[in-house]
Amino acid sequence: MIASNRSIRRLQYFAAALFALATTCSATGATNFSIRHQVSGGATLWGLVEGPDGLVAVGTGGRLLTSEDGKNWQSRETETDAWLTAVTFANGRYVVVGESGVILLSDDLITWRLVADVPTEERLNNIRFGGGRWVAVGERGTIIWSDDAVIWRQSSRLTSKWLRALATSEAVDVDGTRHRIWVTGGQADVRLHSFDGIEWIKDTFSGNGGKDVEAFTPIYSGFGTTSQSEGTFRVHSHEFGAVGSDGFIASYHVISSLDPSGDDPNGIYHGFYFHSLSGSTDDEFKDIDWRAIVRGNGRHFVVGTAGTVLSAPQIYSRSEWTRHHNLPDTTFTAAGFGLDSFFIVGANETIVQSSPSFRGQLANLSARGRIVGAHGSLVAGFVLGGAEETTLLLRGVGPQLTDFGITAPLPAPRIRLQDASTTTLQTNNGWRFSQHLSLATSQTGAFPLPDGSDDSAMLATLAPGAYTLTTNDESGDEGVTLSEIYHVPDREGVFPAAHPINLSTRGRVGAGEDVLVGGFVVEGASAIRVLVRAVGPGLAQFNVGNPLADPTITVQSADGTLIGTNDNWESQAHPGDQTTILNEILETSRVVGAFPLDAHSTDAALLLWLSPGTYTATVSGNPTTSSGGEALFEIYELP
């Protein structure tokens, strides 16, 4: 599996490139709110996050509340009465920061422990995770970082002002190259940026007239090119929403250029570009101190003092900001998504929940495998849920894979779409340019195909139901191919309610480029639970010849973070009770309609909690017990 990481990174681009668009599905905003928890004179809550065990909110006086359903909140004991300011979840761990350098850890939301050795006694105001690293910022320019949330190190101090706004974003180039940026800001418009979260650069550009910067949220990241006298440069661009004191709302740009000589991998220039949008809201909001900005389902939400909550599909337009009413007149300090809802927290232990209109969902499948023999094929199956028709972009890519380092692509892939009765609905062998295909390619973020190439592509408008997309080569040639299923939004970026609820790919697994690689996207605002399986021996019951004897499945996030891995489904690495986990896998398989795996088989399975983002699943064989064979990769969205 390690040997195939480079190939995995290439495939991750195919899904990652469309993620920015996949997350722009429209929502009308959270218009109905309910107060779930409030205590007169209680603590001020400053942080909120969702994890697989539920929600956690933290605040002053060491206050820490958890909830499994968003409605009923329970106080948890900690070893501190310090002001807790922020919380995040990543890599199976909840991490809380607060005053006096306090850091709390938990694996289950129930038991919390203090980190013993923290290299600062300053108050920490925020924490984020990205690229396998936690970064926390705080008073007097404090920045600390950790790769395991246990051992922390301090970055050089570049300012004496407090820092609170913190965010990270990653751009993915067409060849799989990744470029991450960290940004932080705070008192009197102080702003810093970093490429690794360790070494920071202070921004000297004038920004918002000295207003405090309270929060950032990622909006966009991507690559492009620019031509200058020195040559043609690859440009990576990151955009963040920013809010702060005195009604300040802005977009915040970080643009960096890659030196074509390769001498400076971080770029020959990089700068922050603020175009203040304080006037984008009415004068009634000019005195509001905005404390948080979050983005979900294609809308930006800002929350602040006086119980004020605004939302807009675009951060730039004055006319599109909408105020949400029927909210308590209190200071809101933080916001986030979870349990298919939008949550806001603030003073007097206030916790507000929206109507459940922010559900996450599966979207898009990219599967790469090698076709061997005259009758070889790569088979992708999917089920569309919902009650309406939806349009998909379907592609079988071969020749174009040479641009991504594949040395032996399938020369002329042919794709065939069939319904559940095996009736052929559409076929394509060698795509040709059309305005509809061009628009769908742009809307989904799929990489472009050269006009007249032997790659295949077609659009299909389908009713809910089960379908199969088969990719092969009519001439019997062998090679690596990429099968893609994209969920196509409308011209406004709105996705229909109907969407793929399970995705599967069957193909040959060997070694090196012969691993079966599936990329998929979780779109929306809230996390979802999925069942992921790699089936080899279980295919024998369906008369599949030469099934893979001992498949292993590994799931990674877009930044390469390991989410989970399994070799044999009855041997789970999760720290919970094994019997409970296995029973849950069996029951989940029954609920979603997956065929049962035999007891003691060497098939693999995982139950995962996945936040919105891009993921890659790799199915490989055990080199000591398997010489290769047919394998099935499956992912099911749980209700």
Side-chain angles (χ1 to χ4, degrees):
M1 287 179 291
I2 299 300
S4 64
N5 277 350
R6 182 174 177 84
S7 296
I8 292 171
R9 287 195 295 268
R10 292 186 185 117
L11 178 75
Q12 285 172 334
Y13 163 72
F14 303 142
L18 56 90
F19 177 54
L21 282 163
T23 54
T24 60
C25 51
S26 177
T28 56
T31 55
N32 299 313
F33 291 91
S34 299
I35 298 175
R36 299 305 189 191
H37 182 85
Q38 194 170 44
V39 177
S40 179
T44 296
L45 300 177
W46 282 90
L48 172 83
V49 77
E50 181 192 25
D53 306 287
L55 293 157
V56 56
V58 300
T60 54
R63 194 67 164 149
L64 193 151
L65 303 170
T66 66
S67 175
E68 294 182 357
D69 59 8
K71 299 177 182 178
N72 302 292
W73 291 80
Q74 180 178 356
S75 177
R76 298 292 183 183
E77 294 294 327
T78 65
E79 302 176 40
T80 181
D81 59 0
W83 174 4
L84 305 178
T85 57
V87 57
T88 191
F89 173 83
N91 272 11
R93 177 166 287 172
Y94 302 87
V95 185
V96 175
V97 298
E99 67 178 344
S100 303
V102 162
I103 299 178
L104 292 169
L105 305 179
S106 177
D107 299 325
D108 58 8
L109 284 187
I110 299 173
T111 303
W112 294 83
R113 60 190 184 278
L114 280 168
V115 174
D117 188 13
V118 180
T120 184
E121 293 185 355
E122 299 288 350
R123 186 177 73 223
L124 299 171
N125 293 322
N126 207 345
I127 182 170
R128 289 289 185 268
F129 177 87
R133 178 164 294 153
W134 284 267
V135 174
V137 300
E139 299 297 301
R140 290 170 45 80
T142 298
I143 302 176
I144 62 174
W145 59 274
S146 174
D147 291 337
D148 61 7
V150 177
I151 299 174
W152 291 82
R153 296 174 176 85
Q154 187 162 2
S155 297
S156 299
R157 195 187 305 269
L158 300 181
T159 179
S160 61
K161 298 176 181 178
W162 56 256
L163 300 172
R164 182 170 297 133
L166 179 64
T168 184
S169 175
E170 185 178 64
V172 185
D173 207 344
V174 293
D175 62 355
T177 301
R178 298 183 174 278
H179 181 271
R180 179 169 293 278
I181 193 79
W182 289 83
V183 294
T184 184
Q187 184 181 8
D189 192 29
V190 62
R191 284 167 282 123
L192 297 84
H193 65 280
S194 171
F195 297 105
D196 58 8
I198 301 174
E199 301 292 333
W200 292 78
I201 302 167
K202 188 175 181 181
D203 186 7
T204 57
F205 288 93
S206 176
N208 65 5
K211 297 178 182 179
D212 298 337
V213 182
E214 294 278 350
F216 290 133
T217 192
I219 294 177
Y220 167 81
S221 61
F223 274 81
T225 59
T226 183
S227 296
Q228 299 182 14
S229 58
E230 298 89 347
T232 299
F233 299 86
R234 291 296 287 166
V235 175
H236 39 80
S237 175
H238 303 263
E239 182 181 6
F240 300 86
V243 296
S245 60
D246 301 322
F248 174 68
I249 300 175
S251 67
Y252 188 31
H253 297 262
V254 187
I255 300 174
S256 182
S257 182
L258 301 181
D259 187 339
S261 70
D263 293 336
D264 184 0
N266 284 337
I268 59 169
Y269 71 83
H270 28 75
F272 288 76
Y273 298 86
F274 252 117
H275 51 271
S276 176
L277 299 175
S278 300
S280 64
T281 57
D282 293 337
D283 289 343
E284 64 178 300
F285 303 120
K286 63 182 176 60
D287 295 325
I288 298 296
D289 291 333
W290 301 113
R291 297 293 171 78
I293 177 171
V294 294
R295 183 172 181 265
N297 283 23
R299 294 188 73 85
H300 302 81
F301 293 83
V302 297
V303 306
T305 51
T308 311
V309 177
L310 305 180
S311 72
Q314 300 291 334
I315 200 169
Y316 317 103
S317 175
R318 172 178 183 149
S319 62
E320 292 184 326
W321 284 99
T322 301
R323 181 168 187 174
H324 296 270
H325 299 281
N326 302 318
L327 289 159
D329 185 11
T330 190
T331 294
F332 290 131
T333 55
F337 300 97
L339 302 175
D340 304 336
S341 299
F342 175 50
F343 285 85
I344 314 169
V345 301
N348 298 314
E349 290 189 26
T350 300
I351 302 176
V352 177
Q353 181 183 8
S354 78
S355 52
S357 55
F358 294 90
R359 176 172 171 78
Q361 62 185 33
L362 277 179
N364 310 317
L365 170 68
S366 297
R368 196 207 73 197
R370 177 178 291 277
I371 292 178
V372 178
H375 302 291
S377 62
L378 185 64
V379 183
F382 57 96
V383 175
L384 294 177
E388 302 173 353
E389 290 185 338
T390 190
T391 298
L392 302 177
L393 170 63
L394 308 173
R395 309 204 306 180
V397 184
Q400 189 66 6
L401 293 181
T402 57
D403 288 352
F404 305 101
I406 300 299
T407 57
L410 194 67
R414 174 182 184 268
I415 55 177
R416 181 175 72 254
L417 176 67
Q418 296 172 295
D419 63 15
S421 68
T422 70
T423 299
T424 297
L425 304 178
Q426 292 178 229
T427 64
N428 183 259
N429 187 12
W431 85 291
R432 294 296 178 265
F433 174 83
S434 75
Q435 288 186 341
H436 294 299
L437 276 174
S438 178
L439 177 61
T441 300
S442 175
Q443 288 175 306
T444 58
F447 62 89
L449 300 175
D451 187 20
S453 75
D454 288 330
D455 305 291
S456 296
M458 61 189 183
L459 290 171
T461 300
L462 303 174
Y467 300 90
T468 300
L469 182 69
T470 303
T471 305
N472 59 13
D473 190 300
E474 287 186 318
S475 301
D477 289 326
E478 300 181 354
V480 176
T481 187
L482 179 73
S483 177
E484 298 177 306
I485 302 168
Y486 291 92
H487 195 195
V488 180
D490 63 20
R491 292 178 181 272
E492 283 71 44
V494 178
F495 284 90
H499 69 283
I501 57 175
N502 80 54
L503 305 165
S504 64
T505 300
R506 197 195 78 204
R508 186 184 183 280
V509 172
E513 290 187 352
D514 289 349
V515 294
L516 185 61
V517 185
F520 59 95
V521 169
V522 177
E523 67 180 18
S526 294
I528 64 173
R529 295 184 74 235
V530 298
L531 170 67
V532 181
R533 308 200 306 181
V535 183
L539 294 178
Q541 63 184 299
F542 302 106
N543 299 317
V544 174
N546 189 31
L548 187 66
D550 189 6
T552 295
I553 190 163
T554 301
V555 179
Q556 295 175 289
S557 62
D559 62 11
T561 299
L562 178 66
I563 304 298
T565 186
N566 181 255
D567 185 12
N568 300 320
W569 74 276
E570 290 182 306
S571 300
Q572 295 289 322
H574 193 279
D577 177 71
Q578 291 291 296
T579 300
T580 300
I581 295 171
L582 295 182
N583 287 338
E584 190 174 4
I585 289 176
L586 289 170
E587 176 61 17
T588 298
S589 298
R590 184 192 66 80
V591 169
V592 299
F595 62 86
L597 301 177
D598 290 340
H600 312 304
S601 79
T602 55
D603 300 300
L606 288 167
L607 280 173
L608 300 174
W609 181 92
L610 299 178
S611 57
T614 304
Y615 298 89
T616 300
T618 305
V619 179
S620 59
N622 187 328
T624 62
T625 61
S626 174
S627 59
E630 290 289 312
L632 178 70
F633 159 66
E634 300 176 302
I635 178 169
Y636 296 87
E637 179 182 314
L638 304 188

